[in-house]
Amino acid sequence: MQHLLNRVLSAISAPDRSDAINDCPASVLALLPADSDPLIALAHAKLHTFSFAAVPLCWRRLYTDASIAKAVALIEHGLAHPDDEDKPPSSTKRKRNRDAVQGPDSGLSGEVWIDEAVQVLDMAVIMAGAAGRQQIIDELISGLQSYLKHNAAPQPKRPRLEKDWDSFPIGRNVELSKLPMVPGVQYPVQLATAPSMRAFEMHMKTTQPLRIKEALDHWPAMHERPWSSPAYLLDMTLGGRRLIPIELGRSYTDDDWGQSIITFKDFMHRYMMPDAADPSKLGYLAQHDLFAQIPSLRNDIAIPDYCYIVPPPLKTPQSTTAGLAPSTQLDEPLLNAWFGPAGTVSPLHTDPYHNILCQVVGKKYIRLYSPDQTNNLYPKGVEDGGVDMSNTSEVDAEASLDELEADFPLFRQAEYVETILAEGECLYIPVGWWHYVRSLSVSFSVSFWWN
């Protein structure tokens, strides 16, 4: 481990001449790697001065390298004093920050210095995209995982978790009959069983959704490395220490919606398991590139071969593709994780990419509307603050019939197809198709966007 730490400090202390971090003031860089806290604070302020896309790369690089330097200091202190209750300098501030992110009942156990080092590294990933240092962060996390495996004292198990944490409470489904506007599947999406590449390519020319069975049978996440096991997911997240960004509330269009960053284990305790503190509260890990942050989970899945088919030209008139700004040509599909309890919702919206949504755990109800139905779906516009929400409908698909009739009379005329996506199945969503999604149980999905 010490050899790794020395190599990391060497890389931070002597960046390449072409490194964007050199665009930061020399007086600032002079504080690296010894005085990381004020540099993190400075870079954090810069990150919030601009929209993320407009943040000069030097500040993202500074936030990342200062965070790595801080993590190295924590690790070095922990290795040198494994049985020492004293904490390294400024640890009081770090403990206060840790509680602010994770919550006081995060359920973490073991070495506090490891908890804090992991937090600092994950914040560099979440806040700054691990700019230029993803490999170094992965190596440090791997080193900590190895240390825990070979050196950490065994932690006593809470007996009530031995059974409960073997699997998620998938049986606690939301019945379709209890959902407004969802009387059951009346207009099913076309179904195919593991179509060939040629058959799928031909289907894409119809510009229709397709539900696909038996396309994930080879994924380790479905079998030997099961994502249906909370214990396995905790193991892959360093005992649940990894930080994740989550959405709070039913849907991002609701007034009480919010965001937070908490540990994976805290997320499981609060929202995913039978002993959740308040089952009426919803937390959702939504549209997050979890696999860049935690590469070990990326090894449990595979990009569907269908994502490498060149899509046919978009035939839909531009007037009916609300919110579809020209999308960047992708070299590889974009992967995102969607993980949450029953009741989480993605409101009616459309995306600028073709999408294959793969269901690994649980079930989801999905309703889809063709782009030619856009005029019946009441797209939003530019909201206060200049945020363009034209890819999202004003309609709450779960509103009562009376509310919909009064506020959105054309919505009743909109034609749709629908499906319940079960474990091991995929749903192809053509570019521009509006879709509303609701988890019917604990659910773990992966989306693959491509063009």
Side-chain angles (χ1 to χ4, degrees), residues 313-373:
L314 185 64
K315 297 180 181 180
T316 307
Q318 190 64 37
S319 61
T320 63
T321 53
L324 287 183
S327 54
T328 303
Q329 188 67 34
L330 302 176
D331 294 327
E332 289 288 330
L334 295 176
L335 281 63
N336 281 300
W338 310 80
F339 182 40
T344 55
V345 168
S346 292
L348 189 58
H349 70 285
T350 185
D351 297 312
Y353 299 99
H354 294 268
N355 180 12
I356 291 186
L357 180 65
C358 300
Q359 192 67 20
V360 185
V361 177
K363 295 181 179 180
K364 282 183 170 175
Y365 171 82
I366 305 167
R367 179 179 290 185
L368 305 105
Y369 298 82
S370 169
D372 63 18
Q373 299 297 307

Side-chain angles (χ1 to χ4, degrees), residues 360-417:
V360 185
V361 177
K363 295 181 179 180
K364 282 183 170 175
Y365 171 82
I366 305 167
R367 179 179 290 185
L368 305 105
Y369 298 82
S370 169
D372 63 18
Q373 299 297 307
T374 294
N375 292 335
N376 296 326
L377 303 181
Y378 300 88
K380 292 175 178 282
V382 177
E383 299 192 340
D384 294 342
V387 179
D388 186 356
M389 294 287 289
S390 57
N391 75 322
T392 302
S393 172
E394 293 184 21
V395 179
D396 181 354
E398 298 189 354
S400 69
L401 294 177
D402 290 342
E403 290 175 308
L404 292 172
E405 188 67 37
D407 298 333
F408 308 105
L410 296 179
F411 182 67
R412 293 287 302 277
Q413 304 175 20
E415 298 178 356
Y416 63 86
V417 292

